[in-house]
Amino acid sequence: MSQLLNDIRYAMRRLRKSPGFTLTVVITLALGIGANTAIFTLVQGILLRSLPVSNPAQLYRIGDTDNCCVNGGFVGENGDFDIFSYDLYLHLKKSAPEFEQLAAVQAGRSGWSVRRGNELGKPLQGEFVSGNFFSTLGLGAYAGRPLGENDDTPSSAPATVLSYRAWQTEFNADPTIVGATISINARPFTVVGIAPAGFFGDRVTDTPPDFWMPLQTEPYARGASSILHHETSNWLYPLGRVRPGTNIAALQAKLSAALRQWLSTLPAYTEHGGAAEIPKQHVAIVPGGGGIQSLQIETGNGLKMLMILSSVVLLIACANIANLMLARATSQRSELAVRMAMGAGRSRVICQILSESVLLSCLGGLAGLAVAYGGSHTILTLAFPDARNMPIDSSPSLRVLGFAFVVSLVTGILFGTAPAWLSSHAQPAEALRGINRSTRDRSSLPQKSLVVLQAALSVVLIAGAILMSRSLGNLEHQKFGVVTSNRYVMHFDPAGAGYTIERLPALYRQIEERFSTQPGVANVGMGSIARWKAITGVNASSCRAAPLRNPAINAVPPGTASATTSWIPLECR
């Protein structure tokens, strides 16, 4: 330890004597290590994140894709059934005693107008869950109590649990909210508890739920739009805790057989040639410690690509710094030769140079943490501009700090090895003959090799950046057959104000008339989401579908529900 401390002091003195060199290396490393740490912060926060629940390794999900949000018929590709109706969930739950508990959560996310007393309504995110949701995850409550089985019956009083963050931000951390009545889409609900701090729900998402409601309150909350008891409306993800020692492959085969048996009893699946598809249907049981991994599936490839690109940036930085250190070692070769002539061992010279490079890399790593924080925050802001209470912290965690330290250590050894090895081979006799005045330089070959490596990696990085930029540009300017200039969209929620379906046609006409009279407004049109039929269960065949006015439309922008071949009038919903 004494020798190591002496080497560090010696390295610090040498770095103080060369402030320009030190600053250049630290900034270069800060960019390289900071970029890698920023991406790893997102990888750790999204891909490697476990639910903040009791024993997440024991959780398993029935289904392995992010199929969303309400579907009918054979919902998965190649027979992979991954989203379920309420009745099918109950059937699977009954068929699988291997689950200690099996909960159900809403596949999508619903926006609700929430108000307390005479306050203005707040647009919050709500999620329907089964009554055993919190007990399945092994969670209690920060205040009050969690939802229970008794809250999830048709005769139970409407109850809800607020998230800790929503309680803090939307209700000013008012302790009297527990036991109080709030209005959700003009329907009274009793707040029975507040979820534990840090719990963000059953999945990592940019819009985590602000409150949870029992499944049996879905007809009460949605009224005529309810889909709870529609056998062919698939809208739930099952998530459960498996008993120790359970054979997952056998359980998967058992539930697949139960799925096919259930489908064969429903005419909606057996008619019109559907019976031939039933034998293909199956389920996949996958680890659920990370929850419903919708965001992981969507962002996984992108994060891996960013990690590869940032690693290439770090390799370029290492090659650049190794070149700088080789040049520095070349200018100081006579000094090293004299030291070796006076008795300095080769191992001591190597240790001192490696100590200097590792010290530089650690300094660059510390500076890189600031780059990592700003970089991860910027990426989150650009990727999720409308995120609200996103459960991903851009501040480096202990795991991220450990990653940054390891990267710094490896980087220091990586770019310090070649200069240390070459410098340790300096010959004292050559120093006495004035080797610095010689035109022959044995370090030129490694330096040239590093320059070639830098150039090759830079070409790869620049080519990848150009290709990705062109792809993003093509996506941004993709033509969908519609005119988008001077067109604006306004979203409104009649259900949040208590409007029933019967009152909506008159409301729509009134909104169109009033907007049409506004100065500067040329045309006004209204529309709903493309899957309204699947949500409401209304048979649209009794209504006249208007054909597309522009036959060139064969796609829809990202984020829309699906491409359609016809428009259905609002009165038909």
Side-chain angles (χ1 to χ4, degrees), residues 4-191:
L4 178 61
L5 291 176
N6 288 333
D7 289 342
I8 292 175
R9 293 191 191 99
Y10 177 72
M12 293 179 67
R13 288 197 302 269
R14 283 171 55 87
L15 294 179
R16 281 199 299 266
K17 292 179 180 179
S18 306
F21 168 80
T22 303
L23 186 61
T24 300
V25 172
V26 169
I27 292 176
T28 303
L29 285 174
L31 295 176
I33 296 176
N36 278 269
T37 307
I39 304 304
F40 184 77
T41 301
L42 302 182
V43 170
Q44 189 268 334
I46 297 177
L47 300 184
L48 305 180
R49 185 82 170 268
S50 294
L51 294 180
V53 300
S54 174
N55 194 10
Q58 199 178 1
L59 291 174
Y60 281 83
R61 176 194 165 193
I62 303 177
D64 59 347
T65 68
D66 59 342
N67 207 342
C68 181
C69 294
V70 181
N71 289 324
F74 301 104
V75 297
E77 295 183 4
N78 302 319
D80 188 3
F81 225 91
D82 45 31
I83 186 171
F84 306 87
S85 67
Y86 178 68
D87 290 344
L88 180 51
Y89 153 69
L90 294 178
H91 177 70
L92 296 178
K93 182 180 179 182
K94 182 180 178 180
S95 304
E98 292 85 353
F99 281 98
E100 291 180 357
Q101 293 195 72
L102 184 63
V105 299
Q106 184 180 352
R109 194 59 45 76
S110 302
W112 303 85
S113 176
V114 180
R115 71 178 71 228
R116 183 183 184 188
N118 295 324
E119 298 176 357
L120 292 176
K122 307 174 187 292
L124 302 183
Q125 295 291 318
E127 183 178 77
F128 289 106
V129 297
S130 58
N132 62 347
F133 174 70
F134 286 93
S135 61
T136 298
L137 299 181
L139 293 173
Y142 175 82
R145 63 173 180 84
L147 293 175
E149 297 276 12
N150 294 332
D151 297 308
D152 197 18
T153 64
S155 59
S156 301
T160 185
V161 168
L162 298 177
S163 72
Y164 181 85
R165 186 170 291 185
W167 175 59
Q168 291 275 322
T169 59
E170 304 296 341
F171 297 95
N172 300 317
D174 184 0
T176 64
I177 193 68
V178 178
T181 299
I182 62 174
S183 173
I184 301 178
N185 275 23
R187 310 274 185 171
F189 278 73
T190 300
V191 178

Side-chain angles (χ1 to χ4, degrees), residues 333-339 341 426-437:
R333 184 178 300 171
S334 59
E335 175 189 340
L336 292 173
V338 170
R339 286 174 56 199
Q427 300 297 325
E430 292 180 350
L432 296 177
R433 288 197 297 266
I435 190 65
N436 282 342
R437 291 191 296 270

Side-chain angles (χ1 to χ4, degrees), residues 197-208:
F199 178 65
F200 51 81
D202 52 81
R203 73 203 75 174
V204 179
T205 175
D206 57 333
T207 54

